[in-house]
Amino acid sequence: MQTATESFLDQQIVLDHGTGARLSRELVEFMVGVLGDVYVGEMEDSAMLPVPAGNIAMTTDSFVVDPPFFGNGDIGKIAVCGTVNDLAVVGAEPRYLTLAMILETGFPIRLLHRALVSLRETALEAGVKIVAGDTKVVGPGEADGIFLNTTGIGVFHRPPKRMTDVRPGDRIVLSGPIGNHTVHLLSVREGLGFEKNVLSDCAPLNGLIDTLDKAVPEDAVHSMRDVTRGGLSAVLHEYSAALGRAVRVEEEALPIDFETRMASDMLGINPINAANEGCLALFVEPGSVDAVLKTLHAHPYGRKAVVIGEVTDRPAKAVEMVGRDGKVSEIEELQGAELPRLC
């Protein structure tokens, strides 16, 4: 005989799950049960949070991943990683998340359970609590199965890290390969087979950043950015525009796995524009590069960290690439999306 939970898992989302009546309550109770101790358990209309006096960091992000479930991750994992990483790169300790979801009528509750379990496990790894949430149900065709939104709050124990803290001569370090997340999802979506050898890099990076902050001087890393939508190119153009300085990278130094490069060539995409979900770009004081790399290499999420270029002292809003033949070319900023929706 099926238990009540097993029976619930076999159901699908219906519009009445979003009415605020009994079915809504049962759905919320189910979600709270799955999330377990990463949810604070209070059902008030607002969360009341113990945060220290002083500045806090706050960010919000929506996740419309297609496909929502893939080889080594899913929309639940990405929802935590994306928000936690945005807090951590500015120097904050991630503490709290809100979780809002839009569910389409007919979405299997078993898949919702799968996303929530993944979300809970990632929240445990990142050390964050879910303190508030919301659920809306829409009709068929009005959403793509499941959309999530998370808002994050972090606290500062050290000065924030800003783009404007970067200086000419700073070295640009990547914590790992680029392009894997994009290739993995496109391969899953199109059935290309690359997903067996190219896994998404989706990961919460606050533990890596905390380890780095404890191992190197405070001013060793001037700024950081997680390399997500728009890829490395978008990050470099953002910094060049903010600093009014040209940024130069070495093509030979870009960390691109062989299978990812091969798949990118087949798909006609440039890995430098590809989305990632577990890669950091760090702007490092030249004398601290060795110490930063040593620390990154000792962490599971930074084993393949490399220096890829530097911030020049030339006053220009430009991103330049030094090719394998030594010729310098400019990396054009994309006007829009080169790739379909991935995160």
Side-chain angles (χ1 to χ4, degrees):
M1 177 180 293
Q2 281 188 320
T3 66
T5 299
E6 290 171 340
S7 176
F8 194 80
L9 286 174
D10 289 334
Q11 298 178 30
Q12 295 182 338
I13 294 296
V14 297
L15 281 174
D16 282 346
H17 278 124
T19 61
R22 180 173 63 86
L23 286 183
S24 291
R25 175 177 54 77
E26 290 177 352
L27 181 62
V28 171
E29 289 173 350
F30 164 75
M31 294 177 184
V32 169
V34 176
L35 292 174
D37 59 3
V38 302
Y39 176 64
V40 297
E42 296 181 1
M43 302 297 285
E44 304 288 350
D45 276 355
S46 296
M48 292 156 276
L49 308 177
V51 295
N55 292 332
I56 63 170
M58 185 172 180
T59 187
T60 190
D61 207 346
S62 298
F63 301 87
V64 292
V65 185
D66 181 20
F69 299 91
F70 45 93
N72 60 319
D74 53 60
I75 193 170
K77 182 177 182 179
I78 287 180
V80 175
C81 292
T83 301
V84 162
N85 293 347
D86 283 348
L87 293 170
V89 294
V90 298
E93 176 200 352
R95 288 276 190 89
Y96 306 111
L97 298 181
T98 66
L99 173 63
M101 58 181 66
I102 297 174
L103 301 173
E104 184 179 359
T105 302
F107 188 72
I109 289 179
R110 191 170 295 277
L111 288 182
L112 173 61
H113 178 264
R114 178 178 166 185
L116 290 171
V117 168
S118 179
L119 190 150
R120 179 190 68 209
E121 291 173 349
T122 311
L124 285 170
E125 179 182 353
V128 293
K129 294 285 187 180
I130 298 165
V131 297
D134 180 60
T135 303
K136 294 291 185 293
V137 178
V138 298
E142 295 180 2
D144 194 6
I146 179 172
F147 294 159
L148 299 183
N149 172 275
T150 48
T151 294
I153 295 175
V155 299
F156 288 101
H157 303 296
R158 48 191 175 266
K161 295 185 182 296
R162 306 178 187 276
M163 283 192 291
T164 51
D165 293 332
V166 174
R167 306 163 194 166
D170 278 0
R171 302 299 191 263
I172 304 168
V173 174
L174 283 185
S175 64
I178 57 174
N180 290 355
H181 178 73
T182 291
V183 166
H184 180 81
L185 263 67
L186 286 178
S187 184
V188 172
R189 184 186 299 178
E190 303 299 333
L192 302 177
F194 290 113
E195 71 273 11
K196 298 174 184 177
N197 296 317
V198 181
L199 297 177
S200 168
D201 62 345
C202 183
L205 298 174
N206 56 315
L208 171 63
I209 293 171
D210 186 56
T211 298
L212 186 62
D213 283 340
K214 292 175 180 176
V216 300
E218 188 175 284
D219 62 349
V221 179
H222 292 149
S223 185
M224 292 176 284
R225 205 44 114 243
D226 53 331
V227 186
T228 54
R229 283 182 301 171
L232 177 62
S233 174
V235 170
L236 297 178
H237 278 99
E238 186 178 9
Y239 273 83
S240 178
L243 300 169
R245 302 284 179 179
V247 174
R248 179 170 289 193
V249 296
E250 303 279 342
E251 183 180 11
E252 191 70 39
L254 293 179
I256 304 171
D257 290 340
F258 174 78
E259 293 88 350
T260 300
R261 189 182 298 279
M262 183 172 62
S264 298
D265 290 342
M266 177 179 291
L267 293 166
I269 63 175
N270 188 339
I272 202 170
N273 296 319
N276 310 273
E277 288 293 343
C279 180
L280 286 177
L282 305 99
F283 294 79
V284 181
E285 186 271 325
S288 301
V289 169
D290 289 344
V292 167
L293 286 175
K294 180 180 179 180
T295 304
L296 292 175
H297 290 160
H299 193 280
Y301 296 146
R303 287 191 298 244
K304 296 183 178 181
V306 293
V307 178
I308 63 165
E310 66 178 321
V311 178
T312 76
D313 60 1
R314 185 163 65 84
K317 296 180 180 180
V319 177
E320 300 170 341
M321 176 87 78
V322 181
R324 291 179 173 84
D325 58 2
K327 294 181 179 179
V328 179
S329 60
E330 186 167 339
I331 300 174
E332 296 292 336
E333 186 173 14
L334 292 180
Q335 292 294 320
E338 180 187 55
L339 300 164
R341 169 167 60 87
L342 292 169
C343 53

